[in-house]
Amino acid sequence: MINVNQVYKSVLVVLQQEKRGVLTPVEFNKIATTSQQEIYMEYFDELNQLLRQPQTSLAYADRYALLDEKIQIFKRTENRSTSATGTVTPTVSVQELGDVVYFANSTADGREVQRIQKHEVYTTNQGNLTAPTAYYPVYTYENNIIQIYPTSINNGTDDIQLNYLKYPADPKWGFTIDTELGNYIYNDQNSVDFEIHQSDAPLLISKILGYAGVMTQDQLALQLAAGKEQQIDIDGQK
């Protein structure tokens, strides 16, 4: 976790030092959400690149271990109950759904539910050999809703275990306004910290500075952010 107040203060200090103006909390929250999402998606781009490389060097192992540590933050396992129609909905928006496991009862061994595509539902259900059963269930996944087949397996109480990667929650710098001075006062009770890994704090700040430059059409702020991000990349490769 990265403290949202520390990031906001760091951004304001840089902008103030360079005499680039002020970034309001509302503007910051919008930019912060986009910046965190970009860094989060970059984890998976980097993972794909690493998996294509020979897995023999110590440098690769170190990079992979750190990347896995970053992704682990968003891994979740939860037990959910099927509805009367066999649907299951995760409690949060899912970035990538992993294993779906069905438990016939509290003492039964779990059975992995196989995923099929929506267009395969009819042929799968109608085939004598492919029709899903409680022993060989299947599911479709669309719009964050899991549909289990056969729909008759709806025991109702935590009978489905979901393993997935969740999206990071939107960061928020919460505040109140001083009634006398009119300035913003940080409110930690109404704030949401960044969920990405602490090591990405410098990259996060540079991205926010870059977006701040775009919003104000300030080329110097853009160059400043680009320079900082380039330095981060160079330092990370040493």
Side-chain angles (χ1 to χ4, degrees), residues 202-216:
L203 177 60
L204 177 64
I205 292 171
S206 72
K207 282 184 176 291
I208 294 174
L209 285 170
Y211 276 111
V214 170
M215 291 183 66
T216 60

Side-chain angles (χ1 to χ4, degrees), residues 7-19 209:
V7 172
Y8 189 29
K9 289 194 296 186
S10 297
V11 169
L12 292 181
V13 166
V14 174
L15 293 177
Q16 184 178 18
Q17 287 177 343
E18 301 298 325
K19 295 180 173 60
L209 285 170

Side-chain angles (χ1 to χ4, degrees), residues 60-73:
Y60 172 88
D62 288 344
R63 290 175 63 193
Y64 182 86
L66 177 58
L67 185 58
D68 184 64
E69 182 179 333
K70 293 178 179 181
I71 295 175
Q72 285 283 349
I73 296 173

Side-chain angles (χ1 to χ4, degrees), residues 42-91:
E42 287 169 4
Y43 291 164
F44 303 98
D45 292 337
E46 183 180 353
L47 179 61
N48 287 332
Q49 293 177 9
L50 288 177
L51 292 176
R52 295 191 186 102
Q53 298 175 7
Q55 303 180 26
T56 55
S57 67
L58 181 61
Y60 172 88
D62 288 344
R63 290 175 63 193
Y64 182 86
L66 177 58
L67 185 58
D68 184 64
E69 182 179 333
K70 293 178 179 181
I71 295 175
Q72 285 283 349
I73 296 173
F74 303 96
K75 289 186 177 181
R76 295 290 185 275
T77 296
E78 65 172 305
N79 293 325
R80 300 292 290 163
S81 302
T82 49
S83 69
T85 57
T87 60
V88 181
T89 304
T91 56

Side-chain angles (χ1 to χ4, degrees), residues 83-126:
S83 69
T85 57
T87 60
V88 181
T89 304
T91 56
V92 298
S93 180
V94 174
Q95 192 271 334
E96 183 175 338
L97 186 62
D99 298 330
V100 176
V101 182
Y102 166 66
F103 294 89
N105 55 64
S106 59
T107 60
D109 293 332
R111 292 186 174 275
E112 183 175 356
V113 188
Q114 298 298 317
R115 183 171 181 173
I116 63 173
Q117 299 303 313
K118 193 72 173 180
H119 67 271
E120 299 176 297
V121 171
Y122 178 78
T123 54
T124 299
N125 285 334
Q126 294 302 312

Side-chain angles (χ1 to χ4, degrees), residues 30-236:
K30 291 179 180 179
I31 292 174
T33 296
T34 301
S35 299
Q36 176 176 245
Q37 190 64 31
E38 284 185 359
I39 295 174
Y40 175 72
M41 296 309 297
E42 287 169 4
Y43 291 164
F44 303 98
D45 292 337
E46 183 180 353
L47 179 61
N48 287 332
Q49 293 177 9
L50 288 177
L51 292 176
R52 295 191 186 102
Q53 298 175 7
Q55 303 180 26
T56 55
S57 67
L58 181 61
Y60 172 88
D62 288 344
R63 290 175 63 193
Y64 182 86
L66 177 58
L67 185 58
D68 184 64
E69 182 179 333
K70 293 178 179 181
I71 295 175
Q72 285 283 349
I73 296 173
F74 303 96
K75 289 186 177 181
R76 295 290 185 275
T77 296
E78 65 172 305
N79 293 325
R80 300 292 290 163
S81 302
T82 49
S83 69
T85 57
T87 60
V88 181
T89 304
T91 56
V92 298
S93 180
V94 174
Q95 192 271 334
E96 183 175 338
L97 186 62
D99 298 330
V100 176
V101 182
Y102 166 66
F103 294 89
N105 55 64
S106 59
T107 60
D109 293 332
R111 292 186 174 275
E112 183 175 356
V113 188
Q114 298 298 317
R115 183 171 181 173
I116 63 173
Q117 299 303 313
K118 193 72 173 180
H119 67 271
E120 299 176 297
V121 171
Y122 178 78
T123 54
T124 299
N125 285 334
Q126 294 302 312
N128 292 329
L129 297 178
T130 59
T133 66
Y135 287 98
Y136 300 104
V138 299
Y139 75 95
T140 60
Y141 180 58
E142 288 186 349
N143 300 319
N144 214 45
I145 297 177
I146 300 167
Q147 175 66 64
I148 306 290
Y149 297 97
T151 57
S152 57
I153 56 173
N154 46 69
N155 298 303
T157 306
D158 295 341
D159 53 338
I160 299 294
Q161 183 183 87
L162 306 178
N163 300 286
Y164 59 85
L165 291 174
K166 80 177 194 69
Y167 281 104
D170 293 345
K172 179 184 178 183
W173 193 84
F175 64 92
T176 57
I177 298 179
D178 190 305
T179 55
E180 295 183 1
L181 301 177
N183 58 312
Y184 300 109
I185 301 175
Y186 175 63
N187 182 356
D188 62 343
Q189 298 300 314
N190 192 32
S191 297
V192 179
D193 288 332
F194 295 92
E195 290 192 314
I196 55 177
H197 197 271
Q198 181 67 40
S199 64
D200 285 319
L203 177 60
L204 177 64
I205 292 171
S206 72
K207 282 184 176 291
I208 294 174
L209 285 170
Y211 276 111
V214 170
M215 291 183 66
T216 60
Q217 297 184 347
D218 190 326
Q219 293 303 311
L220 183 57
L222 284 170
Q223 293 170 9
L224 178 65
K228 287 182 176 293
E229 188 164 346
Q230 184 179 23
Q231 185 62 46
I232 292 168
D233 291 339
I234 293 173
D235 292 343

